[in-house]
Amino acid sequence: MDTSNPSVFVNAELLRLYVGRQVRAVIQVVQSDPGIVIGKSTDDIQLIVKGTPPFPLTKFVEVIGIADSDKSIQASIWNNFGDSIDMHAYNQLCQLANGEFKHLFI
Amino acid sequence: MNASQFDGSAAFYGGGFMAPSANPTPEQSFFPSKNRDIQTLLPLTVKQISNAIAGENGKSEFSIDGVDVTTVKIVGIVQENVGRITEVTFTLDDGTGRVECNRWCQDQTDTAEMEGISNGMYVRVHGRLKSFQGKKFVQVFSIRAVDDFNEIASHFIECMYVHFYSSLPKPQVGVGVTAQPHMTIPPNQLPGQYSLDGQWSTEEKVLQVLSLPSYLSCVQGAHINDIARQLKISVHDVMYAVKNLEGESKVYSTIDDSHFKSTANG
């Protein structure tokens, strides 16, 4: 068992609290260029994801990587989440996982 | 029993995944010391599993939030998937931590299930939490690829809900506490009802007083005035709560309409 390097559920607002640490965020892809993907976070704020996904992205994508600023993530893992995801539920999860129930996650 | 047919209870028994229904007698003889009451399927994060403490009463190896843990449900990403002839081992990373898992592949069904699983894939795992030489691992009964990704958020919300529910103060009624389900029934439909802020309802408080050994052991039980005095609430409120409890068959009147006793242990 190893819990030393969790990836924290974040939206754009929470991202700034974890700069330099591993995070995971679901984004709605807005624009995908080589080396850089621009997307909207679950709280509807623009995020920059650095890195090149190894496959074509669906509308919603989970990225896991290091938060390198309060608006950007250096992605190491990309997971296609398909074309319909309940972004509101995911955003609520981000807030609960960093609030009242933080001890279950990090 | 026809060996060529897939038998669910035989395939999963020992894990508490399915209650053995067809022929319980031989199953019990395999695990005579296991208590089937505690074999609920608990949704957990890996962080919770890593913080699990040793079981409190020897019925299970682990305890989380005061609940005995045997069968767990985890959703995460498969890593380091290594397949051997009779066993597949992998690490499951759910974002809160990583836990080692192994899956015995004894027949075609098991092998087919594992062949669809590869590194980097999101899966839902059901299995038994075990430890070997102080190291926790999950012995997997069932592994399914996640195809609707809302399931990830849903799983973690369920983890929080079950943790919240299990962390509420438990009624000391003596019976039925460990047998209550932990996930499917909303708490407001359970007979022992709490308000959402974690406070006891008047009914629970009254039941606690009636569960005191001094009242359980005497024939007439407790007088409502005594209950009201102990709880520092009005006799009217106690009467109201007692009527509700009587309706649920949790208390009964004894020598007259003012004396009541708990039906638990008595």
Side-chain angles (χ1 to χ4, degrees), chain B residues 156-212:
Chain B
F156 286 105
I157 291 166
E158 203 179 4
C159 291
M160 291 187 273
Y161 171 73
V162 170
H163 164 75
F164 172 77
Y165 177 72
S166 307
S167 304
L168 289 171
K170 296 197 169 38
Q172 300 297 312
V173 190
V175 289
V177 179
T178 53
Q180 282 179 1
H182 292 287
M183 46 185 290
T184 47
I185 303 174
N188 58 3
Q189 289 175 16
L190 289 170
Q193 194 182 108
Y194 315 99
S195 58
L196 273 177
D197 56 3
Q199 297 293 307
W200 297 97
S201 67
T202 311
E203 282 80 1
E204 291 291 346
K205 288 183 197 163
V206 169
L207 210 50
Q208 269 193 324
V209 171
L210 289 174
S211 302
L212 293 174

Tab-separated table of all heavy atoms in Angstrom, chain B residues 156-212:
chain	number	residue	atom	x	y	z
B	156	PHE	N	-17.050	7.694	-5.440
B	156	PHE	CA	-16.445	8.456	-4.342
B	156	PHE	C	-17.504	9.158	-3.498
B	156	PHE	O	-17.343	9.308	-2.280
B	156	PHE	CB	-15.414	9.447	-4.892
B	156	PHE	CG	-14.150	8.763	-5.338
B	156	PHE	CD1	-13.870	8.587	-6.682
B	156	PHE	CD2	-13.268	8.245	-4.408
B	156	PHE	CE1	-12.725	7.925	-7.091
B	156	PHE	CE2	-12.119	7.578	-4.807
B	156	PHE	CZ	-11.849	7.416	-6.153
B	157	ILE	N	-18.608	9.553	-4.143
B	157	ILE	CA	-19.710	10.142	-3.375
B	157	ILE	C	-20.296	9.074	-2.446
B	157	ILE	O	-20.603	9.335	-1.283
B	157	ILE	CB	-20.772	10.729	-4.329
B	157	ILE	CG1	-20.204	11.965	-5.030
B	157	ILE	CG2	-22.044	11.097	-3.569
B	157	ILE	CD1	-20.987	12.448	-6.221
B	158	GLU	N	-20.386	7.857	-2.951
B	158	GLU	CA	-20.887	6.747	-2.136
B	158	GLU	C	-19.944	6.474	-0.953
B	158	GLU	O	-20.393	6.205	0.161
B	158	GLU	CB	-21.025	5.502	-3.012
B	158	GLU	CG	-22.009	4.494	-2.480
B	158	GLU	CD	-22.130	3.271	-3.388
B	158	GLU	OE1	-21.404	3.174	-4.389
B	158	GLU	OE2	-22.957	2.414	-3.057
B	159	CYS	N	-18.635	6.547	-1.204
B	159	CYS	CA	-17.655	6.376	-0.115
B	159	CYS	C	-17.898	7.393	0.993
B	159	CYS	O	-17.880	7.065	2.174
B	159	CYS	CB	-16.225	6.568	-0.634
B	159	CYS	SG	-15.637	5.292	-1.736
B	160	MET	N	-18.145	8.652	0.581
B	160	MET	CA	-18.354	9.710	1.573
B	160	MET	C	-19.646	9.476	2.334
B	160	MET	O	-19.710	9.628	3.549
B	160	MET	CB	-18.388	11.077	0.875
B	160	MET	CG	-17.042	11.488	0.327
B	160	MET	SD	-17.034	13.166	-0.310
B	160	MET	CE	-17.585	12.919	-1.970
B	161	TYR	N	-20.677	9.057	1.592
B	161	TYR	CA	-21.978	8.819	2.224
B	161	TYR	C	-21.885	7.693	3.261
B	161	TYR	O	-22.360	7.826	4.390
B	161	TYR	CB	-23.026	8.474	1.157
B	161	TYR	CG	-24.318	8.008	1.748
B	161	TYR	CD1	-25.163	8.919	2.377
B	161	TYR	CD2	-24.681	6.668	1.739
B	161	TYR	CE1	-26.340	8.508	2.961
B	161	TYR	CE2	-25.851	6.242	2.319
B	161	TYR	CZ	-26.675	7.160	2.932
B	161	TYR	OH	-27.832	6.738	3.525
B	162	VAL	N	-21.242	6.600	2.870
B	162	VAL	CA	-21.143	5.455	3.780
B	162	VAL	C	-20.286	5.815	4.999
B	162	VAL	O	-20.609	5.449	6.125
B	162	VAL	CB	-20.574	4.220	3.040
B	162	VAL	CG1	-20.234	3.106	4.004
B	162	VAL	CG2	-21.586	3.724	2.024
B	163	HIS	N	-19.206	6.588	4.760
B	163	HIS	CA	-18.373	7.034	5.870
B	163	HIS	C	-19.194	7.912	6.818
B	163	HIS	O	-19.146	7.755	8.034
B	163	HIS	CB	-17.174	7.806	5.341
B	163	HIS	CG	-16.477	8.620	6.384
B	163	HIS	ND1	-15.673	8.050	7.343
B	163	HIS	CD2	-16.499	9.948	6.649
B	163	HIS	CE1	-15.219	9.005	8.147
B	163	HIS	NE2	-15.711	10.153	7.752
B	164	PHE	N	-19.964	8.829	6.224
B	164	PHE	CA	-20.799	9.732	7.020
B	164	PHE	C	-21.785	8.937	7.861
B	164	PHE	O	-21.934	9.149	9.061
B	164	PHE	CB	-21.548	10.681	6.067
B	164	PHE	CG	-22.573	11.536	6.740
B	164	PHE	CD1	-22.187	12.640	7.479
B	164	PHE	CD2	-23.918	11.246	6.619
B	164	PHE	CE1	-23.138	13.426	8.104
B	164	PHE	CE2	-24.874	12.026	7.243
B	164	PHE	CZ	-24.494	13.118	7.990
B	165	TYR	N	-22.430	7.972	7.208
B	165	TYR	CA	-23.433	7.165	7.904
B	165	TYR	C	-22.792	6.328	9.010
B	165	TYR	O	-23.298	6.270	10.133
B	165	TYR	CB	-24.159	6.261	6.902
B	165	TYR	CG	-25.155	5.356	7.563
B	165	TYR	CD1	-26.345	5.870	8.067
B	165	TYR	CD2	-24.891	4.006	7.738
B	165	TYR	CE1	-27.247	5.072	8.714
B	165	TYR	CE2	-25.797	3.189	8.379
B	165	TYR	CZ	-26.976	3.726	8.872
B	165	TYR	OH	-27.855	2.920	9.524
B	166	SER	N	-21.650	5.691	8.693
B	166	SER	CA	-21.002	4.833	9.684
B	166	SER	C	-20.447	5.620	10.856
B	166	SER	O	-20.250	5.083	11.929
B	166	SER	CB	-19.852	4.048	9.033
B	166	SER	OG	-20.282	3.368	7.910
B	167	SER	N	-20.156	6.918	10.624
B	167	SER	CA	-19.556	7.727	11.682
B	167	SER	C	-20.588	8.306	12.632
B	167	SER	O	-20.230	8.897	13.646
B	167	SER	CB	-18.754	8.885	11.075
B	167	SER	OG	-17.805	8.379	10.186
B	168	LEU	N	-21.875	8.185	12.294
B	168	LEU	CA	-22.908	8.680	13.204
B	168	LEU	C	-22.881	7.866	14.481
B	168	LEU	O	-22.493	6.701	14.456
B	168	LEU	CB	-24.285	8.547	12.549
B	168	LEU	CG	-24.598	9.495	11.402
B	168	LEU	CD1	-25.897	9.073	10.733
B	168	LEU	CD2	-24.705	10.917	11.890
B	169	PRO	N	-23.285	8.488	15.600
B	169	PRO	CA	-23.332	7.706	16.834
B	169	PRO	C	-24.270	6.520	16.677
B	169	PRO	O	-25.340	6.648	16.074
B	169	PRO	CB	-23.876	8.702	17.872
B	169	PRO	CG	-24.365	9.867	17.111
B	169	PRO	CD	-23.708	9.871	15.782
B	170	LYS	N	-23.826	5.374	17.210
B	170	LYS	CA	-24.625	4.165	17.014
B	170	LYS	C	-25.560	3.946	18.187
B	170	LYS	O	-25.160	4.091	19.334
B	170	LYS	CB	-23.694	2.960	16.872
B	170	LYS	CG	-22.850	3.077	15.641
B	170	LYS	CD	-22.249	1.775	15.249
B	170	LYS	CE	-21.625	1.865	13.881
B	170	LYS	NZ	-20.956	3.139	13.603
B	171	PRO	N	-26.823	3.579	17.907
B	171	PRO	CA	-27.739	3.286	19.005
B	171	PRO	C	-27.303	2.020	19.736
B	171	PRO	O	-26.957	1.040	19.100
B	171	PRO	CB	-29.082	3.079	18.299
B	171	PRO	CG	-28.753	2.769	16.885
B	171	PRO	CD	-27.427	3.402	16.594
B	172	GLN	N	-27.319	2.081	21.051
B	172	GLN	CA	-26.884	0.923	21.850
B	172	GLN	C	-28.079	0.052	22.184
B	172	GLN	O	-28.448	-0.113	23.316
B	172	GLN	CB	-26.204	1.396	23.137
B	172	GLN	CG	-24.985	2.246	22.925
B	172	GLN	CD	-23.887	1.486	22.214
B	172	GLN	OE1	-23.559	0.372	22.581
B	172	GLN	NE2	-23.323	2.084	21.179
B	173	VAL	N	-28.710	-0.483	21.175
B	173	VAL	CA	-29.912	-1.256	21.416
B	173	VAL	C	-29.577	-2.706	21.687
B	173	VAL	O	-30.354	-3.436	22.283
B	173	VAL	CB	-30.872	-1.136	20.215
B	173	VAL	CG1	-32.218	-1.736	20.558
B	173	VAL	CG2	-31.035	0.323	19.839
B	174	GLY	N	-28.397	-3.119	21.258
B	174	GLY	CA	-27.983	-4.474	21.594
B	174	GLY	C	-28.192	-5.462	20.475
B	174	GLY	O	-27.449	-6.393	20.324
B	175	VAL	N	-29.219	-5.266	19.669
B	175	VAL	CA	-29.445	-6.198	18.556
B	175	VAL	C	-29.597	-5.415	17.264
B	175	VAL	O	-30.012	-4.269	17.250
B	175	VAL	CB	-30.707	-7.066	18.760
B	175	VAL	CG1	-30.493	-8.078	19.844
B	175	VAL	CG2	-31.903	-6.189	19.034
B	176	GLY	N	-29.240	-6.076	16.185
B	176	GLY	CA	-29.554	-5.541	14.865
B	176	GLY	C	-28.646	-4.439	14.388
B	176	GLY	O	-28.805	-3.951	13.284
B	177	VAL	N	-27.687	-4.003	15.180
B	177	VAL	CA	-26.871	-2.866	14.761
B	177	VAL	C	-25.921	-3.251	13.629
B	177	VAL	O	-25.887	-2.593	12.597
B	177	VAL	CB	-26.061	-2.328	15.956
B	177	VAL	CG1	-25.194	-1.174	15.512
B	177	VAL	CG2	-27.006	-1.880	17.047
B	178	THR	N	-25.198	-4.346	13.817
B	178	THR	CA	-24.220	-4.707	12.798
B	178	THR	C	-24.883	-5.228	11.541
B	178	THR	O	-24.275	-5.252	10.493
B	178	THR	CB	-23.269	-5.791	13.319
B	178	THR	OG1	-24.066	-6.872	13.803
B	178	THR	CG2	-22.372	-5.270	14.409
B	179	ALA	N	-26.128	-5.638	11.644
B	179	ALA	CA	-26.769	-6.233	10.480
B	179	ALA	C	-27.382	-5.187	9.557
B	179	ALA	O	-27.852	-5.514	8.496
B	179	ALA	CB	-27.856	-7.204	10.930
B	180	GLN	N	-27.357	-3.916	9.979
B	180	GLN	CA	-27.982	-2.908	9.127
B	180	GLN	C	-27.165	-2.693	7.861
B	180	GLN	O	-25.955	-2.661	7.910
B	180	GLN	CB	-28.081	-1.583	9.883
B	180	GLN	CG	-29.224	-1.583	10.869
B	180	GLN	CD	-29.315	-0.292	11.625
B	180	GLN	OE1	-28.521	0.608	11.399
B	180	GLN	NE2	-30.269	-0.201	12.508
B	181	PRO	N	-27.843	-2.545	6.743
B	181	PRO	CA	-27.110	-2.303	5.497
B	181	PRO	C	-26.434	-0.944	5.522
B	181	PRO	O	-26.887	-0.044	6.221
B	181	PRO	CB	-28.213	-2.351	4.436
B	181	PRO	CG	-29.474	-2.064	5.168
B	181	PRO	CD	-29.288	-2.549	6.566
B	182	HIS	N	-25.348	-0.823	4.772
B	182	HIS	CA	-24.589	0.416	4.838
B	182	HIS	C	-24.681	1.264	3.598
B	182	HIS	O	-24.067	2.285	3.507
B	182	HIS	CB	-23.125	0.096	5.120
B	182	HIS	CG	-22.932	-0.449	6.493
B	182	HIS	ND1	-23.030	0.335	7.603
B	182	HIS	CD2	-22.722	-1.704	6.920
B	182	HIS	CE1	-22.862	-0.414	8.669
B	182	HIS	NE2	-22.670	-1.655	8.284
B	183	MET	N	-25.386	0.795	2.593
B	183	MET	CA	-25.347	1.604	1.397
B	183	MET	C	-26.680	1.801	0.687
B	183	MET	O	-26.905	2.839	0.121
B	183	MET	CB	-24.344	1.020	0.413
B	183	MET	CG	-24.486	-0.466	0.261
B	183	MET	SD	-23.213	-1.149	-0.795
B	183	MET	CE	-23.723	-0.489	-2.341
B	184	THR	N	-27.559	0.855	0.730
B	184	THR	CA	-28.693	0.960	-0.183
B	184	THR	C	-29.876	1.738	0.378
B	184	THR	O	-30.612	2.345	-0.372
B	184	THR	CB	-29.173	-0.435	-0.597
B	184	THR	OG1	-29.274	-1.227	0.572
B	184	THR	CG2	-28.208	-1.074	-1.557
B	185	ILE	N	-30.049	1.750	1.688
B	185	ILE	CA	-31.245	2.359	2.243
B	185	ILE	C	-30.911	3.750	2.787
B	185	ILE	O	-30.018	3.899	3.594
B	185	ILE	CB	-31.821	1.486	3.374
B	185	ILE	CG1	-32.120	0.083	2.835
B	185	ILE	CG2	-33.070	2.121	3.939
B	185	ILE	CD1	-32.555	-0.882	3.885
B	186	PRO	N	-31.612	4.776	2.327
B	186	PRO	CA	-31.366	6.104	2.883
B	186	PRO	C	-31.639	6.092	4.385
B	186	PRO	O	-32.556	5.392	4.831
B	186	PRO	CB	-32.388	6.993	2.163
B	186	PRO	CG	-32.838	6.209	0.991
B	186	PRO	CD	-32.669	4.773	1.323
B	187	PRO	N	-30.844	6.840	5.151
B	187	PRO	CA	-30.958	6.730	6.604
B	187	PRO	C	-32.322	7.138	7.140
B	187	PRO	O	-32.740	6.650	8.160
B	187	PRO	CB	-29.868	7.668	7.128
B	187	PRO	CG	-29.492	8.524	5.977
B	187	PRO	CD	-29.810	7.760	4.736
B	188	ASN	N	-33.028	8.008	6.411
B	188	ASN	CA	-34.311	8.437	6.956
B	188	ASN	C	-35.385	7.362	6.846
B	188	ASN	O	-36.479	7.524	7.329
B	188	ASN	CB	-34.782	9.739	6.293
B	188	ASN	CG	-34.913	9.597	4.804
B	188	ASN	OD1	-34.704	8.506	4.263
B	188	ASN	ND2	-35.258	10.687	4.145
B	189	GLN	N	-35.034	6.231	6.186
B	189	GLN	CA	-35.990	5.139	6.154
B	189	GLN	C	-35.656	4.051	7.158
B	189	GLN	O	-36.370	3.064	7.272
B	189	GLN	CB	-36.040	4.526	4.749
B	189	GLN	CG	-36.717	5.473	3.761
B	189	GLN	CD	-36.660	4.930	2.357
B	189	GLN	OE1	-36.402	3.759	2.148
B	189	GLN	NE2	-36.897	5.796	1.394
B	190	LEU	N	-34.545	4.204	7.849
B	190	LEU	CA	-34.191	3.204	8.843
B	190	LEU	C	-34.997	3.458	10.101
B	190	LEU	O	-35.293	4.591	10.434
B	190	LEU	CB	-32.696	3.296	9.167
B	190	LEU	CG	-31.778	2.811	8.053
B	190	LEU	CD1	-30.358	3.162	8.383
B	190	LEU	CD2	-31.929	1.322	7.862
B	191	PRO	N	-35.321	2.379	10.802
B	191	PRO	CA	-36.115	2.582	12.009
B	191	PRO	C	-35.401	3.418	13.065
B	191	PRO	O	-36.018	4.253	13.700
B	191	PRO	CB	-36.381	1.164	12.497
B	191	PRO	CG	-35.511	0.262	11.701
B	191	PRO	CD	-35.098	0.989	10.477
B	192	GLY	N	-34.113	3.192	13.273
B	192	GLY	CA	-33.378	4.017	14.229
B	192	GLY	C	-32.969	5.292	13.534
B	192	GLY	O	-31.956	5.337	12.874
B	193	GLN	N	-33.779	6.324	13.659
B	193	GLN	CA	-33.590	7.476	12.791
B	193	GLN	C	-32.782	8.577	13.472
B	193	GLN	O	-33.006	8.907	14.624
B	193	GLN	CB	-34.965	8.020	12.424
B	193	GLN	CG	-34.910	8.977	11.276
B	193	GLN	CD	-36.281	9.519	10.991
B	193	GLN	OE1	-36.556	10.666	11.275
B	193	GLN	NE2	-37.137	8.688	10.450
B	194	TYR	N	-31.827	9.159	12.713
B	194	TYR	CA	-31.088	10.300	13.212
B	194	TYR	C	-31.469	11.513	12.390
B	194	TYR	O	-31.802	11.384	11.226
B	194	TYR	CB	-29.591	10.126	13.035
B	194	TYR	CG	-29.057	8.801	13.427
B	194	TYR	CD1	-28.814	7.834	12.467
B	194	TYR	CD2	-28.793	8.533	14.751
B	194	TYR	CE1	-28.322	6.603	12.823
B	194	TYR	CE2	-28.298	7.304	15.112
B	194	TYR	CZ	-28.071	6.347	14.149
B	194	TYR	OH	-27.569	5.144	14.509
B	195	SER	N	-31.368	12.673	12.981
B	195	SER	CA	-31.468	13.867	12.153
B	195	SER	C	-30.119	14.030	11.470
B	195	SER	O	-29.110	13.489	11.902
B	195	SER	CB	-31.805	15.068	13.011
B	195	SER	OG	-30.834	15.230	14.005
B	196	LEU	N	-30.069	14.820	10.386
B	196	LEU	CA	-28.871	14.842	9.552
B	196	LEU	C	-27.666	15.493	10.221
B	196	LEU	O	-26.543	15.292	9.808
B	196	LEU	CB	-29.174	15.551	8.239
B	196	LEU	CG	-29.742	14.605	7.166
B	196	LEU	CD1	-30.095	15.380	5.929
B	196	LEU	CD2	-28.748	13.502	6.831
B	197	ASP	N	-27.886	16.293	11.259
B	197	ASP	CA	-26.728	16.921	11.889
B	197	ASP	C	-26.073	16.003	12.907
B	197	ASP	O	-25.194	16.415	13.647
B	197	ASP	CB	-27.129	18.254	12.547
B	197	ASP	CG	-28.248	18.067	13.545
B	197	ASP	OD1	-28.660	16.916	13.768
B	197	ASP	OD2	-28.710	19.073	14.109
B	198	GLY	N	-26.465	14.747	12.948
B	198	GLY	CA	-25.802	13.790	13.827
B	198	GLY	C	-26.365	13.767	15.237
B	198	GLY	O	-25.872	13.067	16.092
B	199	GLN	N	-27.413	14.553	15.502
B	199	GLN	CA	-28.009	14.569	16.832
B	199	GLN	C	-28.930	13.368	16.998
B	199	GLN	O	-29.511	12.870	16.047
B	199	GLN	CB	-28.823	15.856	17.017
B	199	GLN	CG	-27.991	17.123	16.952
B	199	GLN	CD	-27.045	17.227	18.120
B	199	GLN	OE1	-27.455	17.134	19.266
B	199	GLN	NE2	-25.772	17.424	17.839
B	200	TRP	N	-29.081	12.925	18.248
B	200	TRP	CA	-30.016	11.841	18.515
B	200	TRP	C	-31.433	12.376	18.426
B	200	TRP	O	-31.727	13.477	18.857
B	200	TRP	CB	-29.798	11.301	19.924
B	200	TRP	CG	-28.466	10.697	20.143
B	200	TRP	CD1	-27.383	11.294	20.696
B	200	TRP	CD2	-28.066	9.370	19.825
B	200	TRP	NE1	-26.337	10.416	20.732
B	200	TRP	CE2	-26.725	9.239	20.218
B	200	TRP	CE3	-28.729	8.287	19.252
B	200	TRP	CZ2	-26.033	8.050	20.035
B	200	TRP	CZ3	-28.039	7.113	19.083
B	200	TRP	CH2	-26.706	7.003	19.475
B	201	SER	N	-32.345	11.558	17.928
B	201	SER	CA	-33.750	11.926	18.004
B	201	SER	C	-34.226	11.579	19.415
B	201	SER	O	-33.575	10.820	20.141
B	201	SER	CB	-34.553	11.160	16.960
B	201	SER	OG	-34.572	9.786	17.286
B	202	THR	N	-35.385	12.147	19.791
B	202	THR	CA	-35.912	11.867	21.134
B	202	THR	C	-36.143	10.366	21.298
B	202	THR	O	-35.866	9.792	22.349
B	202	THR	CB	-37.236	12.629	21.339
B	202	THR	OG1	-37.034	13.974	20.950
B	202	THR	CG2	-37.680	12.577	22.782
B	203	GLU	N	-36.617	9.725	20.214
B	203	GLU	CA	-36.864	8.283	20.276
B	203	GLU	C	-35.580	7.515	20.618
B	203	GLU	O	-35.585	6.614	21.460
B	203	GLU	CB	-37.415	7.774	18.932
B	203	GLU	CG	-38.884	8.053	18.699
B	203	GLU	CD	-39.161	9.469	18.231
B	203	GLU	OE1	-38.198	10.244	18.075
B	203	GLU	OE2	-40.342	9.808	18.040
B	204	GLU	N	-34.472	7.910	19.974
B	204	GLU	CA	-33.208	7.227	20.239
B	204	GLU	C	-32.770	7.429	21.687
B	204	GLU	O	-32.285	6.509	22.340
B	204	GLU	CB	-32.111	7.747	19.295
B	204	GLU	CG	-32.298	7.351	17.857
B	204	GLU	CD	-32.103	5.855	17.634
B	204	GLU	OE1	-31.569	5.187	18.534
B	204	GLU	OE2	-32.495	5.373	16.575
B	205	LYS	N	-32.959	8.664	22.161
B	205	LYS	CA	-32.537	8.950	23.544
B	205	LYS	C	-33.352	8.120	24.531
B	205	LYS	O	-32.815	7.553	25.493
B	205	LYS	CB	-32.724	10.442	23.842
B	205	LYS	CG	-31.727	11.340	23.134
B	205	LYS	CD	-31.983	12.776	23.571
B	205	LYS	CE	-31.345	13.774	22.663
B	205	LYS	NZ	-31.905	15.114	22.825
B	206	VAL	N	-34.662	8.063	24.284
B	206	VAL	CA	-35.529	7.284	25.176
B	206	VAL	C	-35.116	5.812	25.152
B	206	VAL	O	-35.013	5.158	26.197
B	206	VAL	CB	-37.019	7.444	24.752
B	206	VAL	CG1	-37.901	6.441	25.482
B	206	VAL	CG2	-37.484	8.864	25.023
B	207	LEU	N	-34.839	5.324	23.954
B	207	LEU	CA	-34.440	3.928	23.809
B	207	LEU	C	-33.130	3.656	24.549
B	207	LEU	O	-32.938	2.588	25.138
B	207	LEU	CB	-34.300	3.593	22.323
B	207	LEU	CG	-34.584	2.163	21.900
B	207	LEU	CD1	-35.922	1.692	22.461
B	207	LEU	CD2	-34.603	2.048	20.382
B	208	GLN	N	-32.246	4.663	24.532
B	208	GLN	CA	-30.971	4.506	25.251
B	208	GLN	C	-31.212	4.360	26.754
B	208	GLN	O	-30.606	3.515	27.414
B	208	GLN	CB	-30.085	5.719	24.998
B	208	GLN	CG	-29.183	5.542	23.799
B	208	GLN	CD	-28.116	6.599	23.767
B	208	GLN	OE1	-28.359	7.750	24.136
B	208	GLN	NE2	-26.934	6.245	23.326
B	209	VAL	N	-32.118	5.207	27.272
B	209	VAL	CA	-32.419	5.126	28.701
B	209	VAL	C	-33.010	3.752	29.020
B	209	VAL	O	-32.612	3.092	29.985
B	209	VAL	CB	-33.400	6.253	29.122
B	209	VAL	CG1	-33.867	6.031	30.556
B	209	VAL	CG2	-32.745	7.604	28.976
B	210	LEU	N	-33.942	3.308	28.168
B	210	LEU	CA	-34.588	2.020	28.421
B	210	LEU	C	-33.617	0.847	28.264
B	210	LEU	O	-33.893	-0.251	28.722
B	210	LEU	CB	-35.794	1.838	27.489
B	210	LEU	CG	-36.996	2.724	27.801
B	210	LEU	CD1	-38.070	2.564	26.749
B	210	LEU	CD2	-37.572	2.407	29.180
B	211	SER	N	-32.495	1.100	27.581
B	211	SER	CA	-31.511	0.033	27.408
B	211	SER	C	-30.529	-0.050	28.576
B	211	SER	O	-29.633	-0.888	28.559
B	211	SER	CB	-30.731	0.239	26.108
B	211	SER	OG	-31.610	0.268	25.019
B	212	LEU	N	-30.668	0.860	29.548
B	212	LEU	CA	-29.795	0.775	30.724
B	212	LEU	C	-30.068	-0.542	31.453
B	212	LEU	O	-31.225	-0.958	31.575
B	212	LEU	CB	-30.074	1.953	31.675
B	212	LEU	CG	-29.693	3.340	31.157
B	212	LEU	CD1	-30.168	4.411	32.126
B	212	LEU	CD2	-28.192	3.435	30.957
